[in-house]
Amino acid sequence: MNLFVLLAIAAAMVLVQFVVTRWVKLNLLAWMGIWWVALWAAFSYGINPPLPNSIIVLFMAIITIALVAYLSADNEELKQAQESIVRFMVTRQYRVALLIVMFLIPAAVAAWTFASMNEAPQPPSSGRTIHPPPPSSITFQGTSINLTTANNPIRELQHTDEAAFAEHVANGRRIYFENCFYCHGDNMEGAGMFAHGYDPLPANFNDATTIAMLQESYLFWRIAKGAPGLPSESTPWSSAMPAWEDFLTEEEIWEVIIFLYEFTGFEPRAQGMPH
Amino acid sequence: MLTIDRRSWLLRVPLGILVLVLVALCSEPAWAAPQEADPEYRALPFISSRVLMWAVAELHLMFAAFVLAVPIFALVIEYIGYKTGDRRYDQLAYDFTKLLSVSFSFTATLGALLTFGLIVFYPALTQYLVKIFSWTFLPYVLLFFLEAFFLYAYYYGWGKLPPRLHLFLGVMLNIVGTAIMFIANAWLTFMNTPNGIDEMGNLTNLWEAINNYIWMPINIHRIIANVAFGGAIGAAYGAFKFLGAKTLEARAHYDWMGYIGIFVAICALLPLPFAGYWLGVEIYAYDQSLGITLMGGTFSWLFIVQAVLIGNLFLAANYYLWLSMARIPGAERFRGFIKYLLGIITLCFIVWATPHSLVATVEEARAMGGSHHPILNVLGVMSAKNTAVNLLILTTYVSFLLYRRANKEATVSWAKTGNWIQFGIFAAVVIYVVFLGVYGYFVDAQTRIGLSQPQVMSVLFAMVSVTVIDIFLFKNAKSRGEIVWGKISARSQYALFFLAITFTWLMGLMGYVRAGMRQHWHVYGVVRDTSVDAFTPTLGYAGGVVSAIVIVFFLLIAIVFFLAGLAGRKDWEPKSGSRWSKAEASATVDS
């Protein structure tokens, strides 16, 4: 959050509410405009890192609809707003102001067009699908694994043989730091030494919306098959993940999965069967 | 003179011809003989057979939803009229029922077109489904005949049969209609989550095939959604008649009809997200791949579109209620609350519409450190969405509560205490819902999914308990004046049109998701799609097709409105001086 900007916007609103209105009577239409600008400024400059333009457009569209709904939800208020617009357009005393507005609107459009035409060229933005859907089953080093029913065989040791489980976790740690941390980082935040070279960045496992939302069999599939095993739908995936089935055994992959959950403190999504 | 029903039969003739033309237009494999083997697919020369079947199935579904929904609330309204002796309710129920006759014919015709289309264009798939579900066809056809009997008897028997017998016909119509839907739902849900079959796809247990993972969630979801949809279309009919009304009496009646229609729609809309959530849980439980495709993968962006549409639905529903207060003396004292309600709705709308993965340029993504924004990220997951939707529902309920008590003043001695208790319930539930939403970020996925239940139950508890208190609170209340039906701006009626169109569009988009999540499977994991259309259409393309379907639906529903409107008109009479009146006069003289 950019607190300084947010406080400045709040202060400006307070100023309008308690100081400006002593001299100028603001009708509902004017208040709508002030709220719109204040919220736009808050979304555009009050949040750090900045919000993508697509999100600002989405939020402002919702706010615009809401403000128009509020303005028109009362017949009297709407009538006053309409009358103030008509008065501005037909009353002689506002002629200069009207001319200025008539000049400013096309000038603003021209300025916006000029500015957008002068931006450095960049690839178009795209909505990326984060979770590719896994197949029902995969073939791992000649063995078929059903991803719908596959469980991590090490998981049951967590309660039956703690020593053996700890050994597997230790193995998982070793495997992670031998193979994965270059991209996914020391703390699994997706900021390893090679991460800056990728677009998109490697997954951040500390984020509650990545491995915490997935079943272990899903992780097995992603690690085993990597980018080459991504489905043909919803492409392009833009992933640099290697297919680790060429380098690790089945047990090693399960071990590193256990380590990911142990390190981050998350629980994998269970294979619930509510039916 | 033709009756309305005969007209609807006449409508079937060109559609029947269309079916024959379509069959004739099938490309060469359609009629080429002899053939070595039956083709798996047949194609059309100018339009993809998939798009054609998509449009026909969706239109059939929309009309079927309407035909199943209207009898539910028409029966309830008729029963209220019967118990209270107020003839206005009876008239209102009849006005809704007038829309059924032509709609039923459209449903049947589109259903026939869909069946023919499946047989012609997807013979192998149809054959497989027939093999699995052949035992369900006979009861389906018998129920369909019964549906036709009960529907026409209910419509034509209005005012001509004893009230109890008529109500009985309405009950039977609803039972039979629901049973038909349950059978058809078994076929389509089997395609998504097949069950009761062996590894080769052969049937092992018919009941398991019917009672597959999503059969009951879809049944419940559809009953609720149908009522919401039917109410919205009924309200649009009221708005259509209101805007064309020539007398104050007609204006008042159709204003009331629009209000009742949208009241029904909103009542059904409130529990709908919960039913949808149950459906989602079952899909995920059947196969994580389907669940991920749906919510986190290919279709995740469509759920943002859905969120925007549902957010608009809630906003428009509240907007209509606020505008409706203009017809109630005393409502102006609640005007001040609107800005706070709107603030909450807007905030919840924003949370619900925030995507998890953002559309960003490379520069923007680099500034964020990935495709997830560190602050907005928390709004993109189910904990935030569930919290937002629960608060949206509560806020809409508060709008309704204000509308309900607009012209009332409580006279009971405990009025102040009652208000505080209601406020306390709301405050406690809001705090509880928000707490569970935040708590959801700190627990594992399975626990988090489970938290949605107490959230839902607490919101339902708030709505039920506050309503019960409100009923006693305003018993023998002092009235500030009667509701002046018809005293409402035209904007409110356009809001009703907006609601009906948004409901329909939403229905079309969700239909696309339900079928599309199978991706390259006709029957998921069993019958693979090997046609030229074995790809998932892009969201933009699907949006275009669904929009076209919605336009066609409203063109057809305009015909329904027009024909329903004829029912109340006076018999045609020749104008004086016209050749008809002269011929009539001479005929009278001759006789």
Side-chain angles (χ1 to χ4, degrees):
Chain A
M1 291 283 189
N2 199 335
L3 279 178
F4 176 74
V5 173
L6 292 177
L7 284 173
I9 293 167
M13 292 292 281
V14 170
L15 197 72
V16 173
Q17 169 76 45
F18 295 105
V19 182
V20 175
T21 47
R22 287 187 183 183
W23 292 288
V24 186
K25 190 172 178 253
L26 296 173
N27 65 11
L28 189 59
L29 191 62
W31 272 113
M32 299 286 98
I34 290 166
W35 268 101
W36 195 95
V37 172
L39 289 168
W40 173 79
F43 289 136
S44 300
Y45 305 106
I47 297 172
N48 199 23
L51 298 181
N53 193 46
S54 64
I55 290 298
I56 295 174
V57 170
L58 175 71
F59 287 1
M60 290 317 297
I62 292 171
I63 284 162
T64 307
I65 293 169
L67 290 175
V68 170
Y70 184 65
L71 181 66
S72 59
D74 184 88
N75 293 336
E76 207 49 48
E77 300 275 20
L78 182 64
K79 199 176 155 196
Q80 279 179 20
Q82 285 169 338
E83 280 173 0
S84 64
I85 293 171
V86 172
R87 203 166 44 245
F88 179 72
M89 294 179 84
V90 300
T91 310
R92 184 176 278 269
Q93 73 180 98
Y94 297 122
R95 186 173 287 176
V96 176
L98 181 64
L99 282 171
I100 292 171
V101 169
M102 284 176 68
F103 169 76
L104 281 180
I105 292 173
V109 173
W112 178 77
T113 310
F114 180 78
S116 53
M117 288 296 104
N118 278 287
E119 276 178 6
Q122 55 178 322
S125 48
S126 63
R128 184 169 169 262
T129 306
I130 289 301
H131 299 309
S136 304
S137 61
I138 57 169
T139 305
F140 181 86
Q141 296 172 355
T143 313
S144 178
I145 296 178
N146 185 334
L147 291 179
T148 308
T149 54
N151 283 312
N152 191 335
I154 300 162
R155 182 66 62 188
E156 62 186 40
L157 296 175
Q158 195 169 6
H159 305 294
T160 56
D161 188 345
E162 286 183 15
F165 183 75
E167 196 179 322
H168 285 297
V169 173
N171 276 342
R173 178 190 297 275
R174 178 184 53 77
I175 295 160
Y176 179 84
F177 283 100
E178 281 176 3
N179 303 285
C180 317
F181 100 106
Y182 300 102
C183 300
H184 290 284
D186 291 318
N187 295 314
M188 299 192 185
E189 75 279 49
M193 63 182 80
F194 295 159
H196 68 280
Y198 299 128
D199 174 30
L201 296 170
N204 173 6
F205 300 140
N206 289 302
D207 185 335
T209 63
T210 55
I211 60 169
M213 302 182 81
L214 299 167
Q215 294 173 3
E216 289 184 291
S217 60
Y218 185 96
L219 269 70
F220 186 91
W221 167 61
R222 286 288 61 249
I223 294 168
K225 297 295 176 182
L230 283 163
S232 54
E233 295 89 2
S234 304
T235 50
W237 292 107
S238 307
S239 170
M241 178 93 168
W244 289 99
E245 65 179 341
D246 300 334
F247 309 100
L248 302 173
T249 64
E250 183 180 342
E251 189 184 53
E252 284 174 327
I253 293 178
W254 287 124
E255 282 176 331
V256 82
I257 290 170
I258 286 283
F259 174 62
L260 293 183
Y261 284 106
E262 286 297 301
F263 185 88
T264 56
F266 291 130
E267 291 284 329
R269 190 184 193 118
Q271 289 174 343
M273 289 291 174
H275 184 62
Chain B
M1 192 183 233
L2 288 170
T3 64
I4 291 170
D5 192 48
R6 279 182 195 154
R7 283 166 193 268
S8 69
W9 277 101
L10 281 178
L11 283 172
R12 293 188 190 181
V13 174
L15 283 170
I17 294 168
L18 181 65
V19 174
L20 293 174
V21 171
L22 286 175
V23 173
L25 272 175
C26 288
S27 58
E28 198 201 1
W31 60 78
Q35 292 177 4
E36 286 180 4
D38 289 337
E40 279 193 57
Y41 303 99
R42 295 187 178 102
L44 278 167
F46 303 115
I47 183 175
S48 151
S49 54
R50 174 169 72 168
V51 171
L52 183 72
M53 285 298 93
W54 181 356
V56 171
E58 192 57 59
L59 286 169
H60 171 63
L61 192 80
M62 286 168 176
F63 272 102
F66 185 64
V67 169
L68 290 174
V70 171
I72 295 174
F73 55 83
L75 181 70
V76 174
I77 295 168
E78 188 194 358
Y79 181 73
I80 294 169
Y82 169 69
K83 287 304 279 183
T84 60
D86 190 339
R87 298 286 299 165
R88 290 181 310 150
Y89 285 98
D90 197 64
Q91 179 60 40
L92 183 67
Y94 182 61
D95 276 343
F96 280 120
T97 309
K98 277 196 294 194
L99 301 169
L100 281 181
S101 168
V102 185
S103 303
F104 182 71
S105 299
F106 278 180
T107 312
T109 311
L110 287 162
L113 204 56
L114 176 61
T115 311
F116 294 149
L118 285 173
I119 293 167
V120 173
F121 301 123
Y122 295 88
L125 168 66
T126 310
Q127 203 174 1
Y128 176 72
L129 290 175
V130 167
K131 197 173 80 177
I132 300 291
F133 287 107
S134 54
W135 284 101
T136 63
F137 295 157
L138 185 62
Y140 184 85
V141 172
L142 289 175
L143 285 167
F144 195 80
F145 271 111
L146 284 173
E147 165 99 352
F149 168 75
F150 285 121
L151 190 142
Y152 286 112
Y154 187 67
Y155 174 54
Y156 288 114
W158 209 288
K160 295 178 178 64
L161 296 173
R164 285 188 181 185
L165 176 59
H166 193 259
L167 284 167
F168 172 74
L169 288 174
V171 171
M172 290 310 295
L173 172 61
N174 277 299
I175 291 172
V176 169
T178 306
I180 287 177
M181 187 186 75
F182 275 31
I183 294 177
N185 283 352
W187 309 334
L188 69 97
T189 53
F190 174 83
M191 291 171 74
N192 278 59
T193 54
N195 209 18
I197 50 174
D198 61 21
E199 284 182 359
M200 300 303 291
N202 299 311
L203 182 70
T204 54
N205 186 319
L206 179 61
W207 171 242
E208 282 181 10
I210 292 170
N211 185 28
N212 59 69
Y213 270 65
I214 62 170
W215 181 58
M216 198 44 77
I218 281 269
N219 287 338
I220 302 301
H221 191 272
R222 278 198 165 168
I223 288 174
I224 301 171
N226 287 353
V227 173
F229 175 69
I233 298 293
Y237 177 69
F240 168 76
K241 297 291 282 181
F242 175 92
L243 292 171
K246 301 246 177 353
T247 64
L248 285 175
E249 196 185 6
R251 220 175 133 87
H253 177 72
Y254 289 113
D255 178 20
W256 188 49
M257 185 178 186
Y259 168 74
I260 296 288
I262 213 61
F263 175 74
V264 168
I266 294 172
C267 284
L269 177 64
L270 297 186
L272 196 56
F274 308 139
Y277 195 70
W278 178 31
L279 175 60
V281 168
E282 288 288 346
I283 289 170
Y284 213 110
Y286 178 77
D287 190 323
Q288 64 164 343
S289 184
L290 278 178
I292 290 169
T293 302
L294 191 70
M295 300 300 292
T298 317
F299 293 106
S300 56
W301 277 101
L302 199 116
F303 278 88
I304 297 301
V305 178
Q306 185 217 31
V308 170
L309 288 177
I310 295 182
N312 273 307
L313 277 180
F314 275 105
L315 188 59
N318 280 276
Y319 179 66
Y320 176 79
L321 284 172
W322 300 333
L323 281 172
S324 297
M325 288 186 176
R327 56 164 109 90
I328 311 178
E332 56 283 347
R333 65 207 153 113
F334 295 128
R335 168 78 191 160
F337 289 105
I338 290 177
K339 56 170 150 315
Y340 303 110
L341 296 174
L342 184 71
I344 297 169
I345 291 168
T346 310
L347 189 65
C348 293
F349 191 170
I350 282 176
V351 170
W352 207 4
T354 302
H356 184 209
S357 315
L358 310 179
V359 175
T361 61
V362 174
E363 236 171 64
E364 289 169 336
R366 292 232 170 263
M368 291 189 297
S371 58
H372 291 148
H373 190 280
I375 296 170
L376 288 191
N377 193 25
V378 293
L379 304 182
V381 292
M382 286 314 287
S383 286
K385 310 278 185 210
N386 278 347
T387 306
V389 76
N390 278 295
L391 295 183
L392 260 178
I393 288 168
L394 264 185
T395 313
T396 307
Y397 174 74
V398 171
S399 280
F400 174 70
L401 206 65
L402 295 182
Y403 175 89
R404 190 183 173 277
R405 50 167 66 182
N407 63 340
K408 297 188 181 97
E409 264 181 52
T411 54
V412 292
S413 57
W414 51 276
K416 207 168 183 182
T417 316
N419 273 324
W420 276 109
I421 292 172
Q422 285 179 316
F423 179 78
I425 291 172
F426 275 129
V429 168
V430 167
I431 291 168
Y432 185 56
V433 165
V434 173
F435 166 75
L436 289 180
V438 175
Y439 181 59
Y441 290 99
F442 301 97
V443 291
D444 64 275
Q446 208 63 18
T447 312
R448 183 167 54 247
I449 292 166
L451 292 179
S452 64
Q453 269 181 350
Q455 278 189 323
V456 170
M457 294 315 289
S458 61
V459 169
L460 288 177
F461 164 75
M463 292 197 292
V464 172
S465 58
V466 169
T467 305
V468 171
I469 294 171
D470 221 54
I471 289 168
F472 289 106
L473 194 64
F474 289 95
K475 205 173 177 184
N476 302 321
K478 193 174 141 194
S479 174
R480 284 177 166 247
E482 287 301 305
I483 298 175
V484 189
W485 291 105
K487 190 193 163 194
I488 193 166
S489 71
R491 293 193 302 285
S492 64
Q493 307 303 304
Y494 292 111
L496 294 182
F497 287 137
F498 176 83
L499 282 162
I501 292 166
T502 310
F503 265 116
T504 313
W505 209 15
L506 198 54
M507 208 163 143
L509 285 170
M510 291 298 102
Y512 157 65
V513 173
R514 190 195 48 73
M517 72 175 161
R518 296 192 304 266
Q519 301 210 348
H520 46 261
W521 296 94
H522 289 310
V523 178
Y524 186 69
V526 181
V527 181
R528 195 170 178 122
D529 183 354
T530 55
S531 71
V532 291
D533 293 319
F535 62 93
T536 306
T538 60
L539 296 186
Y541 180 78
V545 173
V546 170
S547 302
I549 292 169
V550 170
I551 291 170
V552 174
F553 173 75
F554 274 95
L555 289 174
L556 293 174
I557 212 78
I559 295 171
V560 173
F561 285 3
F562 168 71
L563 293 176
L566 290 179
R569 283 200 194 169
K570 289 178 186 170
D571 288 346
W572 178 79
E573 284 179 11
K575 286 179 184 169
S576 60
S578 68
R579 62 191 177 96
W580 290 102
S581 64
K582 284 173 187 166
E584 206 169 77
S586 67
T588 312
V589 170
D590 291 346
S591 67

